[in-house]
Amino acid sequence: MSTEPNIAGEASGVLHGKPAVQAYWQAALARMPELHFELIAVLAGVNSVVLHYRSVGGKLAAEYFEFDAEGKVSRAAAHYA
């Protein structure tokens, strides 16, 4: 199984909290200012959503977001082809 480059400096592959997510996106956009995503589908579930899209170089990706009772993301996972 291949892994994506470690942009956030987090070896576990898990980001916790808004500051960590912000740092991840700041680093990603600094390295790839032309970053573009093409949305393929939004799949809605009970208290969750999956975004299916094309990422850098046309690679397929999907991200899963689970929401708590307050409507905030409580769990998320990203998957890349």
Coordinates of all heavy atoms in Angstrom, one line a residue:
M1 N 0.9 -1.2 0.0 CA 0.0 0.0 0.0 C 0.9 1.2 0.0 O 1.8 1.4 0.8 CB -0.9 0.0 1.2 CG -1.7 1.2 1.4 SD -2.7 1.3 2.9 CE -3.8 -0.1 2.7
S2 N 0.6 2.2 -0.9 CA 1.4 3.4 -0.9 C 0.7 4.4 0.0 O -0.5 4.4 0.3 CB 1.5 3.9 -2.3 OG 0.2 4.3 -2.8
T3 N 1.5 5.4 0.4 CA 1.0 6.5 1.2 C 1.3 7.8 0.6 O 2.3 7.9 -0.2 CB 1.6 6.4 2.6 OG1 3.0 6.6 2.5 CG2 1.3 5.2 3.4
E4 N 0.5 8.8 0.9 CA 0.8 10.1 0.4 C 1.9 10.8 1.1 O 2.2 10.4 2.3 CB -0.5 11.0 0.5 CG -1.6 10.5 -0.3 CD -1.4 10.7 -1.8 OE1 -0.9 11.8 -2.2 OE2 -1.6 9.8 -2.6
P5 N 2.6 11.8 0.6 CA 3.7 12.5 1.3 C 3.1 13.1 2.6 O 2.0 13.5 2.7 CB 4.1 13.6 0.3 CG 3.5 13.2 -1.0 CD 2.3 12.3 -0.8
N6 N 4.0 13.1 3.6 CA 3.6 13.6 4.9 C 3.8 15.1 4.9 O 4.9 15.6 5.2 CB 4.5 12.9 6.0 CG 4.1 13.3 7.4 OD1 3.5 14.3 7.6 ND2 4.4 12.5 8.3
I7 N 2.7 15.8 4.6 CA 2.8 17.3 4.6 C 2.7 17.9 5.9 O 3.4 18.9 6.2 CB 1.6 17.8 3.7 CG1 1.8 17.3 2.2 CG2 1.5 19.3 3.7 CD1 0.7 17.7 1.3
A8 N 1.9 17.3 6.8 CA 1.7 18.0 8.1 C 2.7 17.6 9.2 O 2.7 18.2 10.3 CB 0.3 17.6 8.6
G9 N 3.7 16.8 8.9 CA 4.7 16.4 9.9 C 4.1 15.5 10.9 O 4.7 15.3 12.0
E10 N 3.0 14.8 10.6 CA 2.4 13.9 11.6 C 2.5 12.5 11.1 O 1.9 12.1 10.2 CB 0.9 14.3 11.8 CG 0.1 13.4 12.7 CD 0.8 13.2 14.0 OE1 1.0 14.2 14.7 OE2 1.0 12.1 14.4
A11 N 3.5 11.7 11.7 CA 3.8 10.4 11.3 C 2.6 9.4 11.4 O 2.5 8.5 10.6 CB 5.0 9.9 12.1
S12 N 1.7 9.7 12.3 CA 0.6 8.7 12.5 C -0.5 8.9 11.4 O -1.3 8.0 11.2 CB -0.1 9.0 13.8 OG -0.9 10.2 13.8
G13 N -0.5 10.0 10.7 CA -1.5 10.2 9.6 C -2.8 10.7 10.2 O -3.7 10.9 9.5
V14 N -2.8 11.1 11.5 CA -4.0 11.6 12.1 C -3.8 13.0 12.6 O -2.8 13.3 13.2 CB -4.4 10.7 13.4 CG1 -5.6 11.2 14.1 CG2 -4.6 9.2 12.9
L15 N -4.8 13.9 12.2 CA -4.7 15.3 12.6 C -5.8 15.5 13.7 O -6.9 15.0 13.6 CB -5.0 16.2 11.5 CG -4.0 16.1 10.3 CD1 -4.5 17.0 9.2 CD2 -2.6 16.5 10.7
H16 N -5.4 16.2 14.8 CA -6.3 16.5 15.8 C -6.5 18.0 16.0 O -5.5 18.7 16.2 CB -5.9 15.9 17.2 CG -5.8 14.4 17.2 ND1 -6.9 13.6 17.3 CD2 -4.8 13.5 17.0 CE1 -6.6 12.3 17.3 NE2 -5.3 12.2 17.0
G17 N -7.7 18.5 15.9 CA -8.0 19.9 16.1 C -7.8 20.8 14.9 O -7.1 20.4 14.0
K18 N -8.4 21.9 15.0 CA -8.4 22.9 13.9 C -7.0 23.4 13.6 O -6.6 23.6 12.4 CB -9.3 24.1 14.2 CG -10.8 23.7 14.2 CD -11.6 25.0 14.5 CE -13.1 24.6 14.5 NZ -13.9 25.8 14.8
P19 N -6.1 23.7 14.6 CA -4.8 24.1 14.3 C -4.0 23.1 13.4 O -3.3 23.5 12.5 CB -4.1 24.4 15.7 CG -5.3 24.6 16.6 CD -6.4 23.7 16.1
A20 N -4.2 21.9 13.7 CA -3.4 20.8 12.9 C -4.0 20.8 11.5 O -3.2 20.7 10.5 CB -3.6 19.5 13.6
V21 N -5.3 20.9 11.3 CA -5.9 20.9 10.0 C -5.4 22.1 9.2 O -5.1 22.1 8.1 CB -7.4 20.8 10.0 CG1 -8.0 20.9 8.7 CG2 -7.8 19.4 10.7
Q22 N -5.4 23.3 9.9 CA -5.0 24.5 9.3 C -3.5 24.4 8.8 O -3.2 24.8 7.7 CB -5.1 25.7 10.3 CG -4.7 27.0 9.7 CD -4.8 28.2 10.6 OE1 -5.0 28.0 11.8 NE2 -4.7 29.4 10.1
A23 N -2.7 23.9 9.7 CA -1.2 23.7 9.3 C -1.1 22.8 8.1 O -0.3 23.1 7.2 CB -0.5 23.2 10.5
Y24 N -1.9 21.8 8.1 CA -1.8 20.8 6.9 C -2.2 21.6 5.6 O -1.4 21.5 4.6 CB -2.9 19.7 7.2 CG -3.0 18.8 6.0 CD1 -2.2 17.8 5.7 CD2 -4.1 19.0 5.1 CE1 -2.4 16.9 4.6 CE2 -4.2 18.2 3.9 CZ -3.4 17.2 3.7 OH -3.5 16.4 2.6
W25 N -3.3 22.3 5.6 CA -3.7 23.0 4.4 C -2.7 24.2 4.0 O -2.5 24.4 2.9 CB -5.1 23.5 4.5 CG -6.0 22.3 4.2 CD1 -6.8 21.7 5.1 CD2 -6.2 21.6 3.0 NE1 -7.4 20.6 4.5 CE2 -7.1 20.6 3.2 CE3 -5.7 21.8 1.7 CZ2 -7.5 19.7 2.2 CZ3 -6.0 21.0 0.7 CH2 -6.9 19.9 0.9
Q26 N -2.2 24.9 5.0 CA -1.2 25.9 4.7 C 0.0 25.3 4.0 O 0.5 25.9 3.1 CB -0.8 26.6 6.0 CG -1.9 27.6 6.5 CD -1.5 28.3 7.8 OE1 -0.7 27.8 8.6 NE2 -2.0 29.5 8.0
A27 N 0.5 24.2 4.5 CA 1.7 23.6 3.9 C 1.4 23.1 2.5 O 2.2 23.2 1.6 CB 2.2 22.4 4.8
A28 N 0.2 22.4 2.4 CA -0.2 21.9 1.1 C -0.3 23.0 0.0 O 0.2 22.8 -1.1 CB -1.5 21.1 1.2
L29 N -1.0 24.1 0.4 CA -1.1 25.2 -0.6 C 0.1 25.9 -0.9 O 0.3 26.4 -2.0 CB -2.2 26.1 -0.1 CG -3.6 25.5 -0.1 CD1 -4.6 26.4 0.6 CD2 -4.1 25.1 -1.5
A30 N 1.1 26.0 0.1 CA 2.4 26.6 -0.1 C 3.2 25.8 -1.1 O 3.9 26.3 -2.0 CB 3.1 26.7 1.2
R31 N 3.1 24.4 -1.0 CA 3.8 23.5 -1.9 C 3.1 23.4 -3.3 O 3.8 23.2 -4.3 CB 3.9 22.1 -1.3 CG 4.8 22.1 -0.1 CD 4.9 20.8 0.5 NE 5.4 19.8 -0.4 CZ 5.4 18.5 -0.1 NH1 4.9 18.0 1.1 NH2 6.0 17.6 -0.9
M32 N 1.8 23.6 -3.3 CA 1.1 23.4 -4.6 C 0.0 24.5 -4.7 O -1.2 24.2 -4.5 CB 0.4 22.0 -4.6 CG 1.4 20.9 -4.5 SD 0.5 19.2 -4.5 CE 0.0 19.2 -2.7
P33 N 0.4 25.7 -5.0 CA -0.6 26.8 -5.0 C -1.7 26.6 -6.1 O -2.8 27.2 -6.0 CB 0.2 28.0 -5.3 CG 1.5 27.6 -5.8 CD 1.7 26.2 -5.3
E34 N -1.4 25.8 -7.1 CA -2.4 25.5 -8.2 C -3.3 24.3 -7.9 O -4.0 23.9 -8.7 CB -1.6 25.2 -9.5 CG -0.9 23.9 -9.6 CD 0.3 23.8 -8.7 OE1 0.8 24.8 -8.2 OE2 0.8 22.6 -8.6
L35 N -3.3 23.9 -6.6 CA -4.1 22.8 -6.2 C -5.5 22.9 -6.6 O -6.1 23.9 -6.4 CB -4.0 22.6 -4.7 CG -4.6 21.4 -4.0 CD1 -3.9 20.1 -4.6 CD2 -4.4 21.4 -2.5
H36 N -6.1 21.9 -7.2 CA -7.4 21.9 -7.7 C -8.1 20.5 -7.5 O -7.4 19.5 -7.7 CB -7.4 22.2 -9.2 CG -8.8 22.1 -9.8 ND1 -9.7 23.1 -9.7 CD2 -9.3 21.2 -10.6 CE1 -10.8 22.8 -10.4 NE2 -10.6 21.6 -10.9
F37 N -9.3 20.5 -7.1 CA -10.1 19.3 -6.9 C -11.3 19.3 -7.8 O -12.0 20.4 -8.0 CB -10.6 19.1 -5.5 CG -9.4 19.1 -4.5 CD1 -9.1 20.2 -3.7 CD2 -8.7 18.0 -4.3 CE1 -8.1 20.2 -2.8 CE2 -7.6 17.9 -3.4 CZ -7.3 19.0 -2.7
E38 N -11.7 18.2 -8.4 CA -12.9 18.1 -9.2 C -13.9 17.2 -8.5 O -13.6 16.0 -8.3 CB -12.5 17.5 -10.6 CG -13.7 17.3 -11.5 CD -13.4 16.4 -12.7 OE1 -12.2 16.3 -13.0 OE2 -14.3 16.0 -13.3
L39 N -15.0 17.7 -8.0 CA -16.0 16.9 -7.3 C -16.7 16.0 -8.3 O -17.2 16.4 -9.3 CB -17.0 17.9 -6.7 CG -18.0 17.2 -5.8 CD1 -17.4 16.5 -4.6 CD2 -19.1 18.2 -5.3
I40 N -16.8 14.7 -7.9 CA -17.5 13.7 -8.7 C -18.8 13.4 -8.1 O -19.8 13.4 -8.8 CB -16.6 12.4 -8.7 CG1 -15.3 12.6 -9.5 CG2 -17.5 11.3 -9.4 CD1 -14.3 11.5 -9.4
A41 N -18.9 13.2 -6.8 CA -20.2 13.0 -6.1 C -20.1 13.3 -4.6 O -19.0 13.2 -4.0 CB -20.5 11.5 -6.3
V42 N -21.2 13.6 -4.1 CA -21.4 13.8 -2.6 C -22.4 12.7 -2.2 O -23.5 12.6 -2.7 CB -22.0 15.2 -2.3 CG1 -22.3 15.3 -0.8 CG2 -21.1 16.3 -2.8
L43 N -22.0 11.8 -1.3 CA -22.8 10.7 -0.9 C -23.2 11.0 0.6 O -22.3 11.0 1.5 CB -22.0 9.4 -1.0 CG -21.3 9.2 -2.4 CD1 -20.4 8.0 -2.3 CD2 -22.4 9.0 -3.4
A44 N -24.5 11.2 0.8 CA -25.0 11.5 2.1 C -25.4 10.2 2.9 O -26.0 9.3 2.3 CB -26.2 12.5 2.0
G45 N -25.1 10.2 4.2 CA -25.5 9.1 5.0 C -26.2 9.6 6.3 O -26.4 10.8 6.4
V46 N -26.4 8.8 7.2 CA -27.0 9.2 8.5 C -25.9 9.8 9.3 O -24.9 9.1 9.7 CB -27.7 8.1 9.2 CG1 -28.2 8.5 10.6 CG2 -28.8 7.5 8.4
N47 N -25.9 11.1 9.6 CA -24.8 11.8 10.3 C -23.4 11.7 9.7 O -22.4 11.7 10.4 CB -24.8 11.3 11.8 CG -26.1 11.6 12.5 OD1 -26.7 12.6 12.3 ND2 -26.5 10.6 13.3
S48 N -23.4 11.5 8.4 CA -22.1 11.4 7.7 C -22.2 11.8 6.2 O -23.3 11.9 5.7 CB -21.5 10.0 7.8 OG -22.4 9.1 7.1
V49 N -21.1 12.1 5.6 CA -21.1 12.4 4.2 C -19.7 11.9 3.6 O -18.7 11.9 4.3 CB -21.2 13.9 3.9 CG1 -20.1 14.7 4.5 CG2 -21.5 14.2 2.5
V50 N -19.7 11.5 2.4 CA -18.5 11.1 1.7 C -18.4 12.0 0.4 O -19.3 12.2 -0.3 CB -18.5 9.6 1.2 CG1 -17.3 9.3 0.4 CG2 -18.6 8.7 2.4
L51 N -17.2 12.6 0.3 CA -16.9 13.4 -0.9 C -16.0 12.6 -1.8 O -14.9 12.2 -1.4 CB -16.2 14.7 -0.5 CG -17.0 15.6 0.5 CD1 -16.1 16.9 0.8 CD2 -18.3 16.0 0.0
H52 N -16.5 12.3 -3.0 CA -15.7 11.6 -4.0 C -15.2 12.6 -5.0 O -16.0 13.4 -5.6 CB -16.6 10.5 -4.6 CG -15.9 9.6 -5.6 ND1 -16.5 9.1 -6.7 CD2 -14.6 9.2 -5.6 CE1 -15.6 8.4 -7.4 NE2 -14.5 8.4 -6.7
Y53 N -13.9 12.6 -5.3 CA -13.4 13.7 -6.2 C -12.1 13.2 -6.8 O -11.5 12.2 -6.5 CB -13.1 14.9 -5.4 CG -12.1 14.8 -4.2 CD1 -10.8 15.1 -4.4 CD2 -12.5 14.4 -3.0 CE1 -9.8 15.0 -3.4 CE2 -11.6 14.3 -1.9 CZ -10.3 14.6 -2.1 OH -9.4 14.5 -1.1
R54 N -11.7 14.0 -7.8 CA -10.4 13.8 -8.5 C -9.4 14.8 -7.8 O -9.7 16.0 -7.7 CB -10.4 14.1 -10.0 CG -11.0 13.0 -10.7 CD -10.8 13.0 -12.2 NE -11.7 12.2 -12.9 CZ -11.7 10.9 -12.9 NH1 -10.6 10.3 -12.4 NH2 -12.6 10.1 -13.5
S55 N -8.2 14.3 -7.5 CA -7.2 15.2 -6.8 C -6.1 15.5 -7.8 O -6.3 15.4 -9.0 CB -6.7 14.4 -5.6 OG -5.8 15.2 -4.9
V56 N -5.0 15.8 -7.3 CA -3.8 16.2 -8.1 C -3.5 15.1 -9.1 O -3.5 13.9 -8.7 CB -2.6 16.4 -7.1 CG1 -1.4 16.7 -7.9 CG2 -2.9 17.6 -6.1
G57 N -3.2 15.5 -10.3 CA -2.9 14.5 -11.3 C -4.0 13.6 -11.7 O -3.8 12.5 -12.3
G58 N -5.3 13.9 -11.4 CA -6.4 13.1 -11.8 C -6.6 11.9 -10.9 O -7.5 11.1 -11.2
K59 N -5.9 11.8 -9.8 CA -6.0 10.6 -8.9 C -7.4 10.7 -8.2 O -7.8 11.7 -7.8 CB -4.9 10.6 -7.9 CG -3.6 10.3 -8.5 CD -2.5 10.3 -7.4 CE -1.1 10.0 -8.0 NZ -0.1 10.0 -7.0
L60 N -8.0 9.5 -8.1 CA -9.3 9.4 -7.4 C -9.1 9.5 -5.9 O -8.1 9.0 -5.3 CB -10.0 8.2 -7.7 CG -10.5 8.1 -9.1 CD1 -11.2 6.7 -9.4 CD2 -11.5 9.2 -9.4
A61 N -10.0 10.1 -5.2 CA -9.9 10.2 -3.7 C -11.4 10.3 -3.1 O -12.3 10.6 -3.9 CB -9.2 11.5 -3.3
A62 N -11.5 9.9 -1.9 CA -12.8 10.0 -1.2 C -12.5 10.4 0.3 O -11.5 9.9 0.9 CB -13.5 8.7 -1.2
E63 N -13.3 11.3 0.8 CA -13.1 11.7 2.2 C -14.5 11.5 2.9 O -15.5 11.8 2.4 CB -12.7 13.1 2.3 CG -11.3 13.3 1.7 CD -10.7 14.6 2.0 OE1 -11.0 15.2 3.1 OE2 -9.9 15.1 1.2
Y64 N -14.4 10.9 4.1 CA -15.5 10.5 4.9 C -15.6 11.5 6.1 O -14.5 11.7 6.8 CB -15.4 9.1 5.4 CG -16.3 8.7 6.5 CD1 -17.7 8.4 6.2 CD2 -15.9 8.7 7.8 CE1 -18.5 8.0 7.3 CE2 -16.8 8.3 8.9 CZ -18.1 8.0 8.6 OH -18.9 7.6 9.6
F65 N -16.7 12.1 6.4 CA -16.9 13.0 7.5 C -18.1 12.5 8.3 O -19.2 12.3 7.8 CB -17.1 14.4 7.1 CG -16.0 15.0 6.3 CD1 -16.0 14.9 4.9 CD2 -14.9 15.6 6.9 CE1 -14.9 15.4 4.2 CE2 -13.9 16.1 6.2 CZ -13.9 16.0 4.8
E66 N -17.9 12.3 9.6 CA -19.0 11.9 10.5 C -19.3 13.1 11.4 O -18.3 13.7 11.9 CB -18.5 10.7 11.3 CG -19.6 10.0 12.2 CD -19.1 8.8 12.8 OE1 -18.5 7.9 12.1 OE2 -19.2 8.6 14.1
F67 N -20.5 13.3 11.7 CA -20.9 14.5 12.5 C -21.5 14.1 13.8 O -22.2 13.1 13.9 CB -22.0 15.3 11.7 CG -21.5 15.8 10.3 CD1 -21.8 15.1 9.2 CD2 -20.6 16.9 10.2 CE1 -21.3 15.5 8.0 CE2 -20.1 17.3 9.0 CZ -20.5 16.6 7.9
D68 N -21.2 15.0 14.8 CA -21.8 14.7 16.2 C -23.2 15.4 16.3 O -23.7 15.9 15.3 CB -20.8 15.2 17.3 CG -20.6 16.7 17.2 OD1 -21.4 17.5 16.6 OD2 -19.6 17.2 17.9
A69 N -23.7 15.3 17.5 CA -25.1 15.9 17.7 C -25.2 17.4 17.5 O -26.2 17.9 17.2 CB -25.5 15.5 19.1
E70 N -24.0 18.1 17.5 CA -24.0 19.5 17.3 C -23.7 19.9 15.8 O -23.6 21.0 15.5 CB -22.9 20.2 18.2 CG -23.2 20.0 19.7 CD -22.0 20.6 20.5 OE1 -21.1 21.1 19.9 OE2 -22.1 20.5 21.7
G71 N -23.6 18.8 15.0 CA -23.4 19.1 13.6 C -21.9 19.4 13.2 O -21.6 19.8 12.1
K72 N -21.0 19.1 14.2 CA -19.6 19.3 14.0 C -18.9 18.0 13.6 O -19.4 16.9 14.0 CB -18.9 19.9 15.2 CG -19.4 21.3 15.6 CD -18.6 21.8 16.8 CE -19.1 23.2 17.1 NZ -18.4 23.7 18.3
V73 N -17.9 18.1 12.8 CA -17.2 16.9 12.4 C -16.5 16.2 13.6 O -15.7 16.9 14.3 CB -16.1 17.2 11.3 CG1 -15.3 16.0 11.0 CG2 -16.7 17.7 10.0
S74 N -16.9 15.0 13.8 CA -16.3 14.3 15.0 C -15.3 13.2 14.6 O -14.5 12.8 15.4 CB -17.4 13.6 15.8 OG -18.1 12.7 15.0
R75 N -15.3 12.9 13.3 CA -14.4 11.9 12.8 C -14.3 12.1 11.3 O -15.3 12.4 10.6 CB -14.9 10.5 13.1 CG -14.0 9.4 12.7 CD -14.5 8.1 13.1 NE -13.5 7.1 12.7 CZ -13.5 5.8 13.1 NH1 -14.4 5.4 13.9 NH2 -12.6 5.0 12.7
A76 N -13.1 11.9 10.7 CA -12.9 12.1 9.3 C -11.8 11.1 8.8 O -10.9 10.8 9.6 CB -12.5 13.5 8.9
A77 N -11.9 10.7 7.6 CA -10.9 9.8 7.0 C -10.8 10.1 5.5 O -11.8 10.4 4.9 CB -11.2 8.4 7.2
A78 N -9.5 10.1 5.0 CA -9.3 10.4 3.6 C -8.7 9.1 3.0 O -7.9 8.5 3.6 CB -8.3 11.6 3.4
H79 N -9.1 8.8 1.8 CA -8.6 7.6 1.1 C -8.2 8.1 -0.3 O -9.0 8.8 -1.0 CB -9.8 6.6 1.0 CG -10.3 6.3 2.3 ND1 -9.8 5.3 3.2 CD2 -11.4 6.8 3.0 CE1 -10.5 5.3 4.3 NE2 -11.5 6.2 4.2
Y80 N -7.1 7.6 -0.8 CA -6.5 8.0 -2.1 C -6.2 6.8 -2.9 O -5.7 5.7 -2.4 CB -5.2 8.8 -1.9 CG -5.4 10.0 -1.0 CD1 -5.1 9.9 0.4 CD2 -6.0 11.1 -1.4 CE1 -5.2 11.0 1.2 CE2 -6.1 12.2 -0.6 CZ -5.8 12.2 0.7 OH -6.0 13.2 1.6
A81 N -6.5 6.9 -4.2 CA -6.2 5.8 -5.2 C -4.8 6.0 -5.7 O -4.3 7.1 -5.8 CB -7.2 5.8 -6.3

